[in-house]
């Protein structure tokens, strides 16, 4: 029987890969402006341009009601006191929500509601499920010593709005204070 990769695939929760899905890389140089400590960012970039996270997305169809999903994997590390993290985005179609499921590693999701700017920090670990409502910027952060891997499922129509984060970053940052992840104002 022929298996349609749009209907069935397998993933590796430690490797962060999905069979049949191309993997894209986000490097430190892709993250300019994301981290609060610009001097630490430039110093790190002078040492090299590591992959901060990878993303493997499955986008079977784009019609009404269709879903897309992706597995991302964030390396462990910090820029200054701030943990490695994703760029973060709103969905271009603002009402689109998303479900995140932790697969391996230890981290958090930082949410920021667009109108109220209310921030929420939610743990993302194996067996954790985080619901990201619409109209909410979301960023994932690895606070552990090993890669953080998770699955996100979202409406095909969601799209990504990175521009709003690039012009106006999240109001909170997650930094190590005495080795503990601590949410502080940017
Ligand atoms: C997509 C979903 C995730 C992110 C992934 C990488 O809606 O939220 O798959 O794409 O966490 O983050 P970012 O901010 O670089 O897309
Ligand atoms: Zn999203």
């Amino acid at each position: 029987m022929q298996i349609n990769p749009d209907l069935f695939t397998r993933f590796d929760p430690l490797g962060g890969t999905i069979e049949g899905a191309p993997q894209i890389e986000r490097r430190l140089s892709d993250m300019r402006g994301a981290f609060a400590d610009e001097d630490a960012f430039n110093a790190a970039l002078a040492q090299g341009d590591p992959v901060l996270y990878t993303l493997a997305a499955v986008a079977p169809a784009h019609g009404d009601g269709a879903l897309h999903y992706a597995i991302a994997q964030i390396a462990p590390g910090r820029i200054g006191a701030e943990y490695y993290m994703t760029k973060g985005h709103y969905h271009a179609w603002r009402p689109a929500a998303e479900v995140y499921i932790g697969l391996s590693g230890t981290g958090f999701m930082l949410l920021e509601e667009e109108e109220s700017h209310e921030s929420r920090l939610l743990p993302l670990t194996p067996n954790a499920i985080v619901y990201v409502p619409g109209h909410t910027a979301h960023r994932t952060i690895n606070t552990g010593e090993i890669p953080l891997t998770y699955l996100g499922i979202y409406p095909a129509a969601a799209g990504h709005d990175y521009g709003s984060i690039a012009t106006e970053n999240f109001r909170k940052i997650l930094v190590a204070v005495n080795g503990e992840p601590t949410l502080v104002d940017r």
Side-chain angles (χ1 to χ4, degrees):
M1 190 181 81
Q2 180 106 30
I3 292 175
N4 180 346
D6 283 355
L7 299 182
F8 177 85
T9 187
R10 293 180 190 277
F11 67 91
D12 175 357
L14 296 177
T17 52
I18 301 176
E19 282 177 23
Q23 206 159 16
I24 64 162
E25 295 177 341
R26 295 266 183 260
R27 291 180 177 272
L28 186 61
S29 56
D30 299 317
M31 299 290 287
R32 184 166 288 286
F35 293 98
D37 187 340
E38 218 167 297
D39 291 343
F41 176 86
N42 287 324
L45 199 54
Q47 299 295 310
D49 190 14
V51 174
L52 261 54
Y53 59 102
T54 60
L55 189 63
V58 177
H62 292 269
D64 286 350
L67 296 173
H68 288 176
Y69 60 91
I71 287 183
Q73 182 171 73
I74 309 175
R78 291 197 324 232
I79 297 299
E82 198 173 5
Y83 298 96
Y84 279 8
M85 61 190 186
T86 58
K87 285 183 172 193
H89 59 272
Y90 290 97
H91 292 145
W93 179 43
R94 288 293 196 271
E98 180 162 2
V99 171
Y100 273 68
I101 300 168
L103 300 177
S104 62
T106 308
F108 290 90
M109 288 200 70
L110 177 60
L111 309 185
E112 188 177 305
E113 207 277 329
E114 188 166 28
E115 288 297 314
S116 66
H117 302 305
E118 191 193 342
S119 299
R120 304 291 301 273
L121 187 69
L122 302 164
L124 189 64
T125 54
N127 303 335
I129 300 173
V130 177
Y131 182 81
V132 180
H135 303 274
T136 302
H138 43 292
R139 165 174 280 164
T140 318
I141 304 162
N142 184 357
T143 57
E145 310 274 305
I146 62 166
L148 171 69
T149 312
Y150 55 90
L151 170 71
I153 306 167
Y154 45 97
H160 296 85
D161 171 7
Y162 295 106
S164 299
I165 302 299
T167 49
E168 197 182 350
N169 213 324
F170 287 69
R171 283 164 171 69
K172 302 279 186 187
I173 57 173
L174 193 64
V175 292
V177 177
N178 299 325
E180 284 302 310
T182 309
L183 195 65
V184 299
D185 289 336
R186 177 176 299 281

